[in-house]
Amino acid sequence: MDNHVAANVFGTLGAVLWSLQLLPQIWKNWRRHDSESLSAAFFLSWAMAGVPLGVYNISDNFNIALQVQPNILISLSLLTWSQCKYYRDKWNLKKILPVAIVLGAVLGGVEAGLVFALRVAYRRGERWPTTLMAILSAVLLAAGVLRHYVDMFRTRSDAGLSLRFALLDASGDVASILSVIFQPSLSILGLVIYGTEFVIWVGLMVILLYFRAARWRKGRDIRVDGPFDSTSN
């Protein structure tokens, strides 16, 4: 469905939402001076996932917004990863800053190199490297999010995950899906990448709300039963 304006509008919206998705979590971590039980590996996985996603979006000639989107994901994921290392693992800034900068430079360099390599391969009529990038990005993005499932069931809680973060991510996925649909040529792999992310996030939000509701009910029961317990003693 070729609609250049719609593709750019939804692509920009997706990029904005993906830019904003981590900000509530970053703010929450900073305000509490604690990354709670968030997994540093999750955010590092997301930063790494941004590389093949960026390579795929650029190589497949997506609109500019979708090409920029993965690099925003890389930057904010590294920032959140740094918070996890600072608050939970007690790394000092002298250690975090150079490591984060080196990681960012390496990921950026790998992305640029792969874009160049895939363009050469494309001119030779080879499409499998592009497909490989799509698969890698989908797997890494999904693996990062699935880690939240593990953390939630392990702790029987929301594991410190921000609901706004999850909502923004899912909304960004929807906008990105619509942008892909309105591209001059429909990319099935693009739909798979963003569609997989969306489905996983919806499931995650359902579980998050379940554990929060369970915690609320438990707190309510304690408040109701408390006076009776004290009387009986």
Side-chain angles (χ1 to χ4, degrees):
M1 187 183 297
D2 186 1
N3 190 319
H4 181 73
V5 174
N8 277 288
V9 168
F10 284 117
T12 301
L13 179 60
V16 169
L17 289 171
W18 268 37
S19 301
L20 295 175
Q21 65 175 323
L22 281 170
L23 294 181
Q25 190 68 60
I26 291 170
W27 168 257
K28 182 179 179 181
N29 295 342
W30 177 81
R31 182 168 55 86
R32 295 184 177 183
H33 298 288
D34 183 14
S35 61
E36 297 179 328
S37 56
L38 292 177
S39 169
F42 161 72
F43 294 104
L44 185 58
S45 172
W46 255 25
M48 294 171 62
V51 173
L53 180 60
V55 172
Y56 176 75
N57 287 2
I58 294 171
S59 300
D60 220 41
N61 202 29
F62 281 8
N63 57 69
I64 295 299
L66 289 183
Q67 293 183 27
V68 172
Q69 181 193 73
N71 297 291
I72 295 172
L73 175 66
I74 292 172
S75 301
L76 293 180
S77 294
L78 284 178
L79 176 56
T80 315
W81 172 83
S82 299
Q83 285 186 314
C84 291
K85 305 306 286 185
Y86 181 77
Y87 291 125
R88 192 182 64 186
D89 296 343
K90 306 304 179 184
W91 284 21
N92 57 45
L93 290 178
K94 291 182 178 180
K95 183 177 182 180
I96 293 173
L97 286 176
V99 172
I101 290 172
V102 169
L103 280 173
V106 169
L107 293 176
V110 170
E111 181 181 350
L114 286 174
V115 168
F116 176 77
L118 261 66
R119 284 178 173 170
V120 172
Y122 187 80
R123 285 196 294 268
R124 294 176 178 174
E126 298 176 359
R127 292 288 294 172
W128 68 264
T130 305
T131 303
L132 177 61
M133 290 298 104
I135 294 172
L136 279 176
S137 62
V139 169
L140 287 172
L141 286 170
V145 180
L146 288 173
R147 174 59 188 265
H148 279 305
Y149 282 84
V150 176
D151 291 340
M152 284 184 176
F153 283 111
R154 178 174 54 83
T155 62
R156 306 295 297 176
S157 70
D158 62 12
L161 183 67
S162 167
L163 180 59
R164 281 173 292 183
F165 163 53
L167 284 170
L168 284 169
D169 192 289
S171 300
D173 290 330
V174 172
S176 299
I177 289 170
L178 292 172
S179 180
V180 172
I181 290 174
F182 286 111
Q183 285 286 118
S185 59
L186 182 63
S187 170
I188 300 300
L189 289 174
L191 292 178
V192 170
I193 293 171
Y194 292 110
T196 301
E197 271 282 288
F198 174 71
V199 170
I200 293 175
W201 275 112
V202 169
L204 194 66
M205 285 188 286
V206 170
I207 296 172
L208 183 151
L209 291 172
Y210 168 78
F211 281 126
R212 287 191 178 181
R215 185 178 63 184
W216 178 82
R217 286 195 301 269
K218 183 178 179 180
R220 183 193 60 183
D221 292 342
I222 291 174
R223 288 194 298 272
V224 171
D225 296 339
F228 293 98
D229 292 339
S230 61
T231 302
S232 62
N233 291 333

